[in-house]
Every structure is written in structure tokens, then in C-alpha cells.
Amino acid sequence: MALLEVDKVSKRFGGLLALNGVSFAVEKGGILGIIGPNGAGKTTLFGVISGFIRPSSGDVHFDGVRITGISPDKLTRRGLVRSFQIVQTFADMTALDVVTTAALTRRPIREATDYAADVLTRVGLGKKLDETPATLSLQDKKLLELAKCVATDPQCILLDEVMAGLTMAETEAPIGIIRELNRQGVTFVMVEHVIPVIMRLATSMVVINFGEKIAEAAPEEIVKDSKVVEAYFGEHLDA
Amino acid sequence: MIKDDFFKTLASPWLWGIVLLGAMLPMVLSSYYTHILTIALVYVALASAWNIVGGMSGQISLAHSLFIGTGAMLSAALLVKLGINMWAGLVIAAATAGLLGAIIAWIDFRFQLGHLSFVLITLAFAEMASIVVEGWDFLGGASGLLLPQDTGNFLDFQFGGGRGAFWVMLGLATIIVLVNVAILNSPLGYYLRTIRDNEKAAQAIGVNVLRQKTTAMVISAVLTSIVGTAYVRYLTFADPYLLASPVITIEIVLFATVGGLGRAYGPALGALLLVPLGEVLRGKLGGAVPGLHYFIYGIVVIVVILATPSGLLPLFERLFWRRSRMLPKI
């Protein structure tokens, strides 16, 4: 059964049609990769699924329930949580404070702090509990974004470019964490620019260009799709 | 519900030692200095109540004169005009203030006010409140209301003036500071600080922004109103230009900022230092060169804010308690 279903979602910003009838589904336990060139509408799509943006038309279903228009905090409590492409900083809270707040979604405060410390240790930030997010390196900030999501005990995590800006070596840590969580049953939807990374993780792929879905297939198929190659590299010269 | 740190604070001999020592001060001080300390405690209570909204959730509310005014003018009017017992007046005023707070929080959420718009809207509420008080005879109008003499009848919300008022204010201030400690050690404190730092990210990790902001505003408004009622009982005269004017909120914001925003003991520290300083300066210099005490007071405040922008409390911690966990390790 599909855990997350996106059904003909469109979003219009004034004269711009940012999303045009996009549909896809993610199976429970799957990892869906969403790719597409800059400005294709990936972040808008994420905003719609996570409840930050209300679609102009179309619906989103999660775990069999229609969730269109439900606020982000309620979705998080239902088990659908997102990370942000631009790492969100907190001026006056430590990494432990921030992740503790996330852990409060499902835990009483006496357990939340210990659990948050445990999650931070699991993502490799165990020695940085008392640092403020702003002082962390980019890689650590991305890991913190991941830890925040994990601490809410989600069924499904939406990752918005969690690898962007990292070197190939630095992506190994998040990849390992995502694999481990997936093995424990967490479903992922990832928007990603770093194609090699997403090829390694995804069980299925959706390609978006100019707000429309142009392809949907297994990772090894998708790179052969002429429309996808075109969207990324332009038309074949010899075609 | 609440982390153990709160109960450790409750059981701390330091806390109760300081409160007990404070409670003994009126025995040794003249009535003049007892009065100054009583006023300082009023501001400790008000600044600490304001801190729940202004410090923890970072919403610089200028509406708090509305809540002080509700607690003071409404309970006074109910007593003087309708003969309603002031204990009942305290409860009615506090409920009214809580409702007004909830309305302001809802408006803030419904119209997604930014920081500046929130400041201006709350100021508008405060201005409207002072116009209502000054224009409505029931609340005393521009001439205010004179309360019956304080004969020390506890059942009539009378505490015998002087020392009695000091102890009441000490109790209120202690309770409100402890409410701050409790909130910072409970989910609400975490939610509010996350909202203050990043509202969108707070929502994404499951924080219901409207509910938490409303809770904070209602708690703050109710506590502020209660202090307003106790304050007007001490003053015996319900003066709209003191108790329902936005100027009093500016003072509260100033004390909280100088002491340390968002910290449990910060606003209390600010009020305890600045109120007596202002009073003593006025007493010593006010007669010599008119306005000189304000000038010196202003310079002190500017120097403090420039020297330690996050407030005196963090500065004191750096000086005296280097082991504090909140500090960067050197």
C-alpha cells in the first residue's frame, strides 16, 4: 500500500504555474528520489506535501487519510516530517535543545532530553550537544536537520537537498543514517541535486521539469530516459 | 510535565534563604527604603511576567499596560463603584486580562504579524486601553479612583500597607519568577524558544505555534493583571496615567532587557538593580538639578546595554559561575 500519495497537485503563484498536475505515490518502506533542474518546482512540491503551501488544486494522502491543507505541525505529529534545504538556525538554543523540542512531539519531557541526546549521538553529533546550530559546520548542520526529523519518530521523512553543498566523502555519513533508518521501516522522499547519491539510495525516481512530472522509473532506468537527459543536458546533437 | 531542574530549584536552600532574608528587610529598613523595595518587587513581578512573552517567545509586547490596567483599574472600579470584594475583583480582572491576551495572540496568528507589526499592534491596544480608562467614568476617568483605606483586613484584600504590601509583593515576585523557571523546564519553554528563534522550523518539528503563543500570552496577562490588582491596593489611588499608560510597559521592557531576556532570573535582576538606582538618584539629585537623575540613569542603562547586549545576568554568570553549561568553554 502506498504510504504517501500525491494526486494531480497544481500550484499557481500569480501567473506562474509552479506545479502542473503532478501525481506519484511512495510505497511504505521505499525511498523516492525527486530530481529535476533548478526551478523545476521541487521545493514547491515539498512545501505542498509538508503542509506549508496550500495547493491550487489536487490532493495529498498520507497513510490513507487526505492531508491537503493540514498544518505542518499536525502532519509532524501524524508522522510526516520534513527537513529544510536552507538549514534552519536557532539563535539561542543548543543542538540538544532544538532536538529535544522535536522529541517532545511524542515523548514527555523527562524522556525527551535523553532521547534527543541519543539521536544526536546516532547521527554523529554526540560531542556537539551544547553547541548552537549557527556555530556548526555545514555538514553538521545538515546532520542536525536530519536529527530533528528523526527525533519526532516519523513514519516518513521528506529530505530537501540534505546532501547539497557536501563533498562526496561528507555524504557518506547521511547516506549511512538514511539506510539504517530505512531498514528500520522509515519511508523517505528526497529532493536531491547530487545525482550519484540519490542513485545509490532511491528505490524509485520521479523527474520534474517546468512543474510537470516528465518521468517516473527505477533509478537505473531513469538515466536512459531521453526526456530526462534532455532536461539536464539539452537535446542530443545527433538526434 | 516538568524537568527535575525545576524541583531542584524549589528545594534549593539558596532560593528560600534569599527570600527569607528579603522578607526580614522591612524589619531593619526605614519605611522609605521599604517603599522603594516594594516598588522594585512590583517591577520584578511585572518584568518576569512580561518575560514569558517578550523574552521566551521573543514577542515584544507593548500591550502589557492593558493587562496591568485591567488588574488595577477594573478591580478598583468593581470595589469602589459596585462594592465587589477585591479578591473577586482580582479574579474577574485576571480572567478579563487572560481573555484580552488570547484575543491579541489570535490576531497575531491570524494576520501573521511580523515582529514590528506585533509591537505596533500591541502598542495600539495599549493606547486604546488608556483612552477607554480615561474616558469612562466607571473606570475612574481621568481623575482616577480612590480606594478605601487599607486597615489590614485580609478578607478585603488589605494587607496593612507598608510591610504587609512588601511581603505580598515579595510573595508574588517569587511565585512569578518560579513560574518562569517552571516554564523554561517544561515543554512550553522549549516550544516558545523554538518559536522565537525560528517559527517555520518550529512548526516543522511539530510545534503548534498558535496554541503555544496563546498559552504564553494568557499566562503572562493573568499574572500581570494580578500584580496590577496588588499594586493598586498598595498605592490606594488608582491613577490611570500610571497604571494604564504604555509608559509603564516601556519600563518593564527596559528592566527585562537590561537584566537578561528569556532567562528566568534576568528580568528580576534588572528590576532589582534599576528601580532602586532610579529612586536613589532621584532622591539625592532630583532636588539639585532638575532632570539630572534621569540623565545619569539613562547613561547607566546605555552603558549596560552596550557592554553586555544579552543582559546583566549572562555577564554575572561569566564573572561568578564559570561552570555554567550555557557558556562557551574557554
Side-chain angles (χ1 to χ4, degrees):
Chain A
M1 199 198 97
L3 180 66
L4 181 72
E5 269 179 281
V6 174
D7 187 21
K8 297 194 200 69
V9 163
S10 295
K11 177 64 195 180
R12 185 177 282 283
F13 293 111
L16 176 79
L17 194 57
L19 290 174
N20 187 7
V22 175
S23 299
F24 59 84
V26 193
E27 296 300 311
K28 213 171 197 139
I31 298 181
L32 177 77
I34 300 177
I35 59 170
N38 278 327
K42 303 182 299 281
T43 296
T44 307
L45 180 62
F46 251 45
V48 170
I49 300 173
S50 58
F52 279 94
I53 298 174
R54 192 178 275 270
S56 309
S57 66
D59 271 316
V60 184
H61 292 262
F62 178 68
D63 209 8
V65 183
R66 180 171 172 271
I67 57 164
T68 325
I70 291 183
S71 64
D73 51 298
K74 289 203 181 78
L75 291 180
T76 300
R77 288 198 291 275
R78 276 169 189 252
L80 178 66
V81 68
R82 74 168 291 178
S83 76
F84 289 92
Q85 177 183 356
I86 300 155
V87 177
Q88 305 292 305
T89 56
F90 297 84
D92 203 22
M93 295 177 83
T94 64
L96 182 63
D97 286 342
V98 173
V99 179
T100 300
T101 313
L104 286 168
T105 304
R106 262 176 254 287
R107 281 156 212 273
I109 190 146
R110 284 158 188 276
E111 294 168 25
T113 310
D114 287 342
Y115 182 65
D118 179 50
V119 169
L120 281 164
T121 308
R122 268 197 276 158
V123 302
L125 293 176
K127 291 196 173 122
K128 294 172 182 171
L129 302 183
D130 290 341
E131 288 188 28
T132 56
T135 62
L136 295 175
S137 68
L138 180 66
Q139 185 192 19
D140 287 349
K141 281 179 184 163
K142 298 266 183 183
L143 291 173
L144 179 65
E145 280 289 306
L146 201 52
K148 266 163 46 187
C149 293
V150 174
T152 65
D153 295 311
Q155 290 186 65
C156 180
I157 302 180
L158 307 169
L159 292 177
D160 195 355
E161 306 219 0
V162 79
M163 310 289 177
L166 301 185
T167 65
M168 273 301 157
E170 285 174 335
T171 60
E172 289 305 325
I175 287 174
I177 295 159
I178 291 166
R179 281 212 171 118
E180 174 58 23
L181 288 164
N182 185 242
R183 213 179 46 77
Q184 293 164 9
V186 180
T187 306
F188 282 88
V189 178
M190 308 175 62
V191 159
E192 204 55 71
H193 256 324
V194 187
I195 307 289
V197 169
I198 202 149
M199 298 292 286
R200 283 172 61 191
L201 281 169
T203 52
S204 61
M205 302 268 281
V206 162
V207 187
I208 292 182
N209 198 15
F210 296 115
E212 292 186 44
K213 185 173 86 173
I214 58 169
E216 178 170 15
E220 53 275 14
E221 307 289 317
I222 211 100
V223 282
K224 299 177 198 150
D225 191 304
S226 60
K227 273 196 276 180
V228 177
V229 177
E230 232 171 67
Y232 271 88
F233 302 109
E235 285 176 48
H236 278 287
L237 285 173
D238 57 353
Chain B
M1 272 301 283
I2 300 180
K3 280 201 300 184
D4 291 337
D5 295 19
F6 171 67
F7 299 103
K8 277 183 207 148
T9 306
L10 267 192
S12 153
W14 282 98
L15 171 77
W16 299 112
I18 289 170
V19 172
L20 270 178
L21 272 179
M24 283 189 279
L25 283 174
M27 313 290 199
V28 291
L29 291 178
S30 68
S31 62
Y32 170 68
Y33 284 104
T34 303
H35 168 74
I36 290 179
L37 282 183
T38 307
I39 300 297
L41 287 170
V42 169
Y43 280 97
V44 167
L46 290 175
S48 299
W50 180 85
N51 189 43
I52 297 167
V53 169
M56 292 181 206
S57 68
Q59 299 182 283
I60 306 302
S61 160
L62 295 186
H64 273 58
S65 63
L66 167 62
F67 308 139
I68 302 168
T70 307
M73 308 308 291
L74 182 59
S75 65
L78 290 174
L79 172 66
V80 174
K81 298 287 172 73
L82 302 176
I84 293 176
N85 183 289
M86 212 158 178
W87 285 103
L90 174 138
V91 173
I92 295 168
T96 309
L99 183 68
L100 290 168
I103 292 171
I104 291 173
W106 181 83
I107 290 174
D108 168 45
F109 183 81
R110 175 65 185 75
F111 298 98
Q112 300 282 313
L113 301 181
H115 282 296
L116 185 59
S117 326
F118 182 80
V119 174
L120 294 176
I121 294 270
T122 51
L123 179 61
F125 266 97
E127 289 288 358
M128 284 189 295
S130 74
I131 291 168
V132 167
V133 170
E134 285 159 32
W136 191 11
D137 278 341
F138 174 71
L139 290 176
S143 53
L145 290 166
L146 192 63
L147 273 70
Q149 208 194 339
D150 188 340
T151 56
N153 184 350
F154 183 77
L155 291 177
D156 283 338
F157 199 72
Q158 296 177 358
F159 309 101
R163 289 178 187 178
F166 176 91
W167 287 322
V168 168
M169 289 306 171
L170 180 65
L172 265 179
T174 308
I175 290 169
I176 295 176
V177 169
L178 285 174
V179 169
N180 274 256
V181 179
I183 291 177
L184 285 173
N185 282 297
S186 65
L188 180 61
Y190 281 86
Y191 295 147
L192 293 178
R193 290 159 66 213
T194 326
I195 290 170
R196 172 192 62 196
D197 283 359
N198 193 326
E199 198 165 310
K200 206 170 75 165
Q203 259 192 313
I205 51 177
V207 178
N208 184 330
V209 174
L210 173 63
R211 182 186 299 165
Q212 308 307 340
K213 276 187 176 175
T214 308
T215 308
M217 189 61 111
V218 169
I219 295 174
S220 179
V222 166
L223 293 174
T224 302
S225 170
I226 292 172
V227 179
T229 307
Y231 191 24
V232 78
R233 181 55 271 183
Y234 173 59
L235 296 173
T236 306
F237 175 58
D239 177 359
Y241 297 103
L242 171 66
L243 297 165
S245 146
V247 175
I248 198 168
T249 316
I250 303 293
E251 290 181 292
I252 294 169
V253 176
L254 177 71
F255 299 151
T257 309
V258 167
L261 280 179
R263 309 290 304 271
Y265 307 108
L269 181 69
L272 279 178
L273 292 176
L274 286 183
V275 175
L277 175 73
E279 286 295 325
V280 169
L281 280 176
R282 193 170 59 134
K284 303 274 184 226
L285 301 171
V289 186
L292 181 63
H293 63 287
Y294 277 130
F295 196 77
I296 295 177
Y297 185 77
I299 289 175
V300 170
V301 168
I302 291 170
V303 167
V304 167
I305 289 182
L306 289 180
T308 171
S310 53
L312 283 170
L313 187 65
L315 178 75
F316 282 22
E317 281 178 343
R318 273 197 296 279
L319 293 178
F320 300 115
W321 296 284
R322 284 183 175 277
R323 62 195 165 85
S324 171
R325 194 172 72 78
M326 293 296 287
L327 302 174
K329 305 195 170 40
I330 304 162

